């Protein structure tokens, strides 16, 4: 048995229960892991609320790091005592758990467990957005919404290291200052400024090549006005609500724009894809191109409080739950 945060029915943060959850020995292709750090992400709140439906009851969470305690049959390349990290396997909010061995990676020397737990989902998201969804090029200009958030801080630093000009948005002066310290050339407070007008000003009327938007409904429409003709709108999250486009001709009127809604499952379908992204991510951390900011930590038992802080936009950088 392991203590875990269990969702028995969907709803607000109060539906999460700190209780015992059964953990068996690892089966074919699995390893058992004692978790040392767990990452908090908006997708956790979507699953908890029912926006992204899962069969209940389930253990919440999608990202973590820990130490292998047992190896199941058929597993190669992993041993008891290895430090490992993962993303995309539901059940992270637990002291101990089983994982599919082909969906985890070793944590390299020079990267601590909390950093690994903070970056696997957010950092691999930044990887596919910057290198696969639109392979950014030196000299291009991008707009990144919620630039002071966990994914935002990783991505804006990474983009800057590639020679990209980064414009960010944030919701407070404190967050504006933080984003300026993490790769953004300019940051717009979207609560006090018209960010579309300011982007046009900063780009001398041209617009940006790509908008990366994890905010969703509150920023989507104006983001289209930030793009150059044939630019790309990347909607990769919906923290403020789900986006809909009832009239596709808006894309032609605003410059024959492209829109995509990517998810990580389609960018890391096979283990080589996962290893490619993890190698690039950990390499960028070890080189200093990305400095990971863990803004807050919570005891795992207080996951509901952590969800409230995230949904109320009270967090910056990455948030970690500690078993």
């Amino acid at each position: 048995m392991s203590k875990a945060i269990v969702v028995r029915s969907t709803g607000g943060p109060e539906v999460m229960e700190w209780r015992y959850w059964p953990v068996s020995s690892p089966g074919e292709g699995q390893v058992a892991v004692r978790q040392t750090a767990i990452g908090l992400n908006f997708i956790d709140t979507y699953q908890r609320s029912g926006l992204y439906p899962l069969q209940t009851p389930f253990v919440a969470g999608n990202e973590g790091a820990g130490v292998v305690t047992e190896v199941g049959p058929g597993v190669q390349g992993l041993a008891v005592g290895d430090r490992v990290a993962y993303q995309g396997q539901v059940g992270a909010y637990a002291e101990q758990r089983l994982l599919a061995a082909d969906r985890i990676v070793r944590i390299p020397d020079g990267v601590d467990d909390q950093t690994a737990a903070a970056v696997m989902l957010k950092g691999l998201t930044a990887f596919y957005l910057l290198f696969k969804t639109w392979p950014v090029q030196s000299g291009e200009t991008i707009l990144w919404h919620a630039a002071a958030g966990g994914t935002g801080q990783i991505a804006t630093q990474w983009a800057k290291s590639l020679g990209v000009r980064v414009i960010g948005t944030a919701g407070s002066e404190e967050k504006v200052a933080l984003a300026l310290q993490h790769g953004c050339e300019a940051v717009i407070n979207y609560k006090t400024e018209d960010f579309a007008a300011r982007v046009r000003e900063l780009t001398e009327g041209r617009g940006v090549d790509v908008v990366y938007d994890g905010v969703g409904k509150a920023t989507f429409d104006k983001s289209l006005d930030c793009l150059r003709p044939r630019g790309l709108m990347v909607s990769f999250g919906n923290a403020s609500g789900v986006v809909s486009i009832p009239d596709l001709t808006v894309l032609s009127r605003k410059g024959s724009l492209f829109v995509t809604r990517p998810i990580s499952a389609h960018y890391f379908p096979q283990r080589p894809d996962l290893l490619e992204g993890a190698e690039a991510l950990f390499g960028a951390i070890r080189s200093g191109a990305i400095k990971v900011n863990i803004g807050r930590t919570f005891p795992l038992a207080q996951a509901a409080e952590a969800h409230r802080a995230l949904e109320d936009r009270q967090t910056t950088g990455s948030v970690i739950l500690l078993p």
Side-chain angles (χ1 to χ4, degrees):
M1 300 289 282
S2 168
K3 291 296 287 289
I5 295 291
V6 179
V7 177
R8 296 171 65 84
S9 61
T10 57
E14 69 280 356
V15 302
M16 296 191 294
E17 302 177 9
W18 179 236
R19 56 182 297 155
Y20 284 102
W21 185 260
V23 179
S24 61
S25 295
E28 182 77 23
Q30 291 183 320
V31 296
V33 172
R34 174 180 57 80
Q35 302 210 105
T36 54
I38 298 155
L40 176 68
N41 296 279
F42 264 105
I43 190 174
D44 305 350
T45 71
Y46 304 156
Q47 292 167 343
R48 183 215 71 222
S49 71
L51 179 63
Y52 290 2
L54 295 176
Q55 183 175 348
T56 55
F58 63 89
V59 175
N62 294 269
E63 169 186 55
V67 178
V68 174
T69 58
E70 190 177 354
V71 176
V75 173
Q76 297 181 347
L78 290 171
V80 172
D82 283 347
R83 294 190 309 127
V84 295
Y86 66 93
Q87 62 88 33
Q89 296 196 59
V90 175
Y93 291 8
E95 295 174 333
Q96 302 175 59
R97 68 168 304 186
L98 300 181
L99 290 162
D102 65 347
R103 303 308 295 173
I104 64 178
V105 299
R106 279 202 191 92
I107 303 171
D109 293 342
V111 178
D112 62 70
D113 289 12
Q114 288 194 29
T115 295
V119 300
M120 280 299 289
L121 194 152
K122 303 172 193 69
L124 289 177
T125 297
F127 169 77
Y128 76 71
L129 292 175
L130 294 174
F131 291 89
K132 303 293 184 179
T133 304
W134 176 287
V136 294
Q137 303 295 319
S138 178
E140 290 182 331
T141 302
I142 66 173
L143 173 66
W144 200 287
H145 287 300
T151 304
Q153 288 187 26
I154 293 168
T156 54
Q157 292 179 83
W158 209 343
K160 181 181 179 181
S161 76
L162 299 170
V164 175
R165 182 190 183 197
V166 184
I167 301 171
T169 70
S172 70
E173 290 308 310
E174 178 187 6
K175 290 184 177 181
V176 166
L178 189 60
L180 285 169
Q181 298 169 14
H182 289 84
C184 292
E185 176 184 300
V187 182
I188 304 160
N189 186 335
Y190 63 82
K191 291 187 176 179
T192 60
E193 293 185 81
D194 181 333
F195 71 81
R198 181 63 175 141
V199 165
R200 287 290 172 181
E201 181 182 339
L202 288 167
T203 59
E204 298 181 340
R206 176 183 180 274
V208 300
D209 297 287
V210 193
V211 174
Y212 293 100
D213 183 13
V215 176
K217 187 174 182 179
T219 50
F220 184 85
D221 291 342
K222 276 195 172 182
S223 292
L224 299 180
D225 294 325
C226 297
L227 286 162
R228 64 162 172 81
R230 302 197 306 277
L232 175 65
M233 176 72 195
V234 182
S235 176
F236 68 95
N238 34 259
S240 67
V242 177
V243 171
S244 62
I245 312 176
D247 178 7
L248 283 178
T249 62
V250 68
L251 303 178
S252 63
R253 295 196 302 271
K254 292 181 181 293
S256 296
L257 304 177
F258 296 88
V259 176
T260 185
R261 180 55 168 91
I263 60 172
S264 64
H266 297 143
Y267 285 88
F268 306 113
Q270 304 296 328
R271 182 160 179 77
D273 305 305
L274 175 64
L275 293 177
E276 178 193 10
E279 182 179 1
L281 174 61
F282 288 135
I285 293 170
R286 296 173 76 183
S287 74
I290 297 172
K291 293 179 173 60
V292 179
N293 172 26
I294 297 176
R296 293 183 70 176
T297 62
F298 292 83
L300 177 56
Q302 296 177 15
E305 182 181 342
H307 273 224
R308 292 186 184 97
L310 183 67
E311 292 178 302
D312 291 344
R313 311 290 178 83
Q314 296 175 5
T315 65
T316 57
S318 298
V319 178
I320 293 296
L321 305 175
L322 298 176

